[in-house]
Every structure is written in structure tokens, then in C-alpha cells.
Amino acid sequence: MLRPKYITFDCYGTLIYFEMAPVARRLYADRIAPEAMDQFCADFSAYRLDEVLGAWKPYRDVVEGSLRRTCKRWGIEYRDTDTADVYAAVPTWGPHPDVVEPLKRVAAEYPLVILSNSMIDLIPASVERLEAPFHAVYTAEEAQAYKPRMQAFEYMFDRLGCGPEDILHVSSSFRYDLMTAYDLGITDKAFVNRGHEPLNGYYQVNDIPSIAGLPGLVGL
């Protein structure tokens, strides 16, 4: 049973259903054959990760860079409207069906915090759809760094006035969150097994199939 001072969350993918691949499938249906679309979306995902590993830049630029590089790799046309269409979709996405009620339950006992690879003006619509009260919401724009860079987590620690030992970090991604959390000494970690990354026991996570498993993890 875990007793953290704060429960911190990744937002997109973990709490909000991250629909980047479905958007890409619709957008590129006229340029990519159906049988090749899975690989195209996988490449788009890989380039998004690569785009956030350097110096901070606005998330629109992350989307544009990853789309341009994916289109170049596939030898297809990149259109100026592609980035705008993908970026505009982000604030329309809603939570996974298992999220809202467990979050409300946990929020009654623990301060909840979001650390998101988002922008200050992009995240509010998503947080509102979660319905639960959050103690704080921090973005990559404020930290001037995207996860998985340690700087993003360090910014959160500084703002909360706490250390790695004080939080339970919850994410559905090892690559963006839980590997870095492990390296930073965050011992309390929960992997929400959404199916887009395999469980990796090396990083010493509590494996839960959905946010519905979170209350039990913290003794509720």
C-alpha cells in the first residue's frame, strides 16, 4: 500500500485517450495504402519522441517536425494543413472510460498533479474533461523541456517543493515517463497497461490495467 504526498500523472495516453494515430489515419488515407498505415503511424510516433529529446520548442513544431520527417521517409507529400489539422484535434480528445470516477475518489484523499508534454494554452480543455480537482498542472512549456528529459520532472519537484520519494507517478508509457522516473529515484510508480507499450519489470512498477486500479494501490 502506497502513501505518497502527491500522485502525479502523465496526461495524454494515460488519462486522455491519445488519438494521434486515428487522426493520422484519417488525414493520410489518400496518401498511404491501408495495409501500410500501421507502420506509417508507428513511424510518426517514433519521430514525435525524437522531436522532444532536444531543446524545448512549441508542441506545434514537434507535430510539424515529426509529420514532415514521416512524410519524407515514406516519399509522400506533406501539406501545410497537416500540422494544423492534427494540432487542432488535441483539445477535443476525452478521457479513457475508466478515468473520471477513480480520479475523483483518489482526489478526495490525495493532491493530484499533472506533468504533461503540452502547452499552457492547450492543456486546460483536457483537464476540464477529467472532472476531478487537480492540485497543480505543469506543462513542458513551463518546464522548457519535454519528458522523457529529467528537466521536466525536476521542474515539477521544484514547484511542489518535494523530492522523488514524495510522489507516486502514474503513466502508460515507459519511454516517456517511467524509465526517467526510475532513473530519478521515484520508487512509487504505476504503469497503466493501455496496451501500447509492454510491461517491463526492470523498472519496478506497480502494474494496473486501468485507473480503476489506482484507489486500491493507495489504500482506498
Side-chain angles (χ1 to χ4, degrees):
M1 188 180 300
L2 308 180
R3 294 292 188 185
K5 291 183 180 178
Y6 300 97
I7 303 178
T8 62
F9 297 86
D10 167 59
C11 184
Y12 295 102
T14 302
L15 301 178
I16 296 292
Y17 176 52
F18 192 66
E19 299 186 64
M20 197 69 82
V23 171
R25 289 177 185 277
R26 292 194 298 270
L27 188 63
Y28 289 92
D30 64 337
R31 285 168 274 178
I32 296 293
E35 63 272 15
M37 190 62 80
D38 285 350
Q39 187 58 53
F40 179 85
C41 290
D43 291 343
F44 178 32
S45 176
Y47 280 123
R48 289 199 309 277
L49 176 61
D50 191 66
E51 285 282 322
V52 301
L53 295 178
W56 183 84
K57 56 188 175 183
Y59 192 66
R60 182 183 291 271
D61 294 349
V62 170
V63 173
E64 180 176 352
S66 55
L67 285 175
R68 285 186 180 275
R69 294 167 73 187
T70 307
C71 288
K72 180 181 178 181
R73 180 169 178 170
W74 282 79
I76 64 171
E77 176 192 11
Y78 167 83
R79 299 169 186 164
D80 291 338
T81 56
D82 290 350
T83 296
D85 288 346
V86 172
Y87 192 81
V90 176
T92 69
W93 299 337
H96 289 280
D98 58 86
V99 165
V100 172
E101 292 309 316
L103 269 190
K104 290 180 179 179
R105 184 178 176 192
V106 174
E109 300 293 335
Y110 292 92
L112 307 186
V113 177
I114 283 176
L115 178 64
S116 176
N117 280 359
S118 189
M119 301 286 288
I120 294 170
D121 63 347
L122 194 63
I123 194 90
S126 298
V127 175
E128 183 178 359
R129 286 182 169 85
L130 296 173
E131 298 184 27
F134 280 86
H135 173 77
V137 176
Y138 303 125
T139 65
E141 182 179 6
E142 293 165 291
Q144 291 291 285
Y146 289 99
K147 298 176 298 178
R149 294 194 59 202
M150 289 183 175
Q151 182 179 329
F153 286 88
E154 291 168 336
Y155 174 84
M156 178 177 70
F157 294 150
D158 289 345
R159 292 299 301 269
L160 292 175
C162 74
E165 69 280 2
D166 296 317
I167 71 169
L168 163 62
H169 191 65
V170 182
S171 177
S172 61
S173 175
F174 284 93
R175 293 193 299 175
Y176 278 94
D177 285 81
L178 296 172
M179 292 168 65
T180 304
Y182 175 88
D183 289 340
L184 282 168
I186 300 173
T187 56
D188 292 346
K189 300 176 291 295
F191 173 56
V192 185
N193 201 335
R194 299 287 186 199
H196 50 256
E197 290 186 24
L199 174 65
N200 189 326
Y202 175 84
Y203 294 101
Q204 300 172 7
V205 298
N206 296 275
D207 181 23
I208 55 177
S210 70
I211 298 297
L214 182 59
L217 201 58
V218 293
L220 301 179

